[in-house]
Amino acid sequence: MMGSILEKIGDRNPQFLREVKGRLKIFPIIFVTVLSLLMQFLVYICHVENMSPHAGNGEYIRYLAHWDRVFQSLNPIFIFSLLVCGTYQIISDISKEESRGTLNFIRLSPQSEVSILTGKILGVPILLYLFIAVAIPFHLISGMLSGIPFLNIVAFYLILSACCGFIFSAATLLSVMTQNVAKKSQGIVAWLGSALVLMFLTSSYSFSSTNIPFDHAFAWLLMFNPTSITQYLSQSSRDLERLQFFYIPVGMNLIGIIGIHLANYAFWTYSLWQGIKRLFRNSNATFFSKSYSYLFVILTQITLWGFTLQKGEYYTSGERNYDINSVIQQNIPLFFVFNLILIFALMRILSPTRQSILDWSRYRHLERNHRQGWQSTIYGDLLLGEKTPSQFTIGINLLLITTPFIIWLIIAPLLNTHDKFAILWLTDEVGIFKALLAIGFLISLTMIYATVYQFAAIARVSQPFSLATFAIFTLNVLPPAIFFKLNIDPVKNPIPWLFSTIPWAGFTANAPIICFALLGEIMILVLLNMKLMKQIKLAGSSTTKELLNTSG
């Protein structure tokens, strides 16, 4: 019977069958089973005394407390053993396959990337899954004896499974991204990956003890912490019960809690697989397609705004009237940090290699014949093409990020119903017009960075992306450092600061001067892009001439 089941699974996923057959031997199965039973016995004798559920009220409370400690002790064992050990096993196995050359044969098979790598995720840690499966009945019974409902425990299993899918997908991505690493360093990658997961889990446990609330834009980040759901299930923390998404009280019931966690894991796991599928067969491909980058940015902004727009405990308790402008302002630093990291990450993961850009420059007229409508134009190439420069895509993503803030700045005075001092800085001190100019500076400056990054990325050097990163870092740090060294006061002499990497320091100048400075930056941006496109065209034609001369 077991053989027929494995054959059916093997028909659907041959890679999974290959991994399982190599690991499910008699001795390893017995060893892992005994080890799991031994672990359960040690947890039991460490926590459980001779208690009876039919004793007096005080004794019964102690009885529940002891079983709750058993349940709570098994939770971190499940989480740490699955995530840390599973991460190490997956990265180590893929690295070994790569070093032996067998992974190249697997790539040539008719299986899809998803089939191959999900087979590894499901099959490589199969003995680890067996270790946990043997302990599940004891874990389930201890939870129910401690008073936790059966459905709550099932919810923990669902969310832990989703967490494993996310972490193991990240481990797979790390393996794929480091497939060209020297053989001596591949073992280090496995230890590094498991160490990062261990650091994440230990820091999560330390943060969970501080009871950080979920009423902010980074609530989705806290949901990656598997301990948050265990605290909710054991009723040791009620932070998740107050969780809202666009004011929808998703934390009011178990279905909402499960749904928001699974949706969060599903989105990020799916995004990781976008990179895995593209890089598995072609290590020079970009991590995202340009079209998916737009969807990714839209969904991340919806997530940030969704968790921003919720009424926290401070307001729902009646201590203060809710004011939407105050809430948005409190979350602006979180938006800024996340989107700053996001934009600079997109500069790297959307930038094609020098050779890809040169190929596009040479053969664009041929590829254009296979497209229809606006996609066959130069604009379609720049916004959706796989081999085109990325700065125009960065510009579209910047507009997607900043548009909600532009709308908010315009309608903020209309939303200011309870706390009239919440946006006093906007209406009186800075002004809406200058605030909109600040966003304009942010967009133009970031676009200049993206263009400079693309210049450096197509340079004829051994490490073009390292050069590009260094160029952006220098542009960010050097101008303000020079101004500080020369003691140029932004209040007395704001004009130089308007052309620095922090132009907002020069907003003490008059509005016309600020407008002229913004126009100057836009002119610089246009000239840089014209120069870049001319350089790409020249490099592509030069390469074509070299090829023709060589063939002649």
Side-chain angles (χ1 to χ4, degrees), residues 514-531:
I514 298 174
C515 290
F516 278 116
L518 179 58
L519 289 175
E521 281 202 359
I522 294 174
M523 288 297 297
I524 293 171
L525 175 62
V526 171
L527 292 174
L528 282 174
N529 277 278
M530 290 174 62
K531 175 65 175 177

Side-chain angles (χ1 to χ4, degrees), residues 129-195:
Y129 298 152
L130 177 62
F131 176 86
I132 299 298
V134 173
I136 282 179
F138 181 57
H139 180 261
L140 187 62
I141 292 171
S142 64
M144 295 178 68
L145 289 176
S146 68
I148 299 176
F150 173 77
L151 291 179
N152 286 24
I153 303 174
V154 173
F156 168 72
Y157 295 148
L158 286 174
I159 293 174
L160 181 58
S161 300
C163 184
C164 287
F166 168 72
I167 295 294
F168 293 167
S169 298
T172 304
L173 176 62
L174 181 61
S175 302
V176 171
M177 292 177 66
T178 56
Q179 57 187 298
N180 295 325
V181 176
K183 293 182 180 180
K184 293 181 180 179
S185 303
Q186 285 179 337
I188 300 175
V189 175
W191 285 107
L192 176 63
S194 56

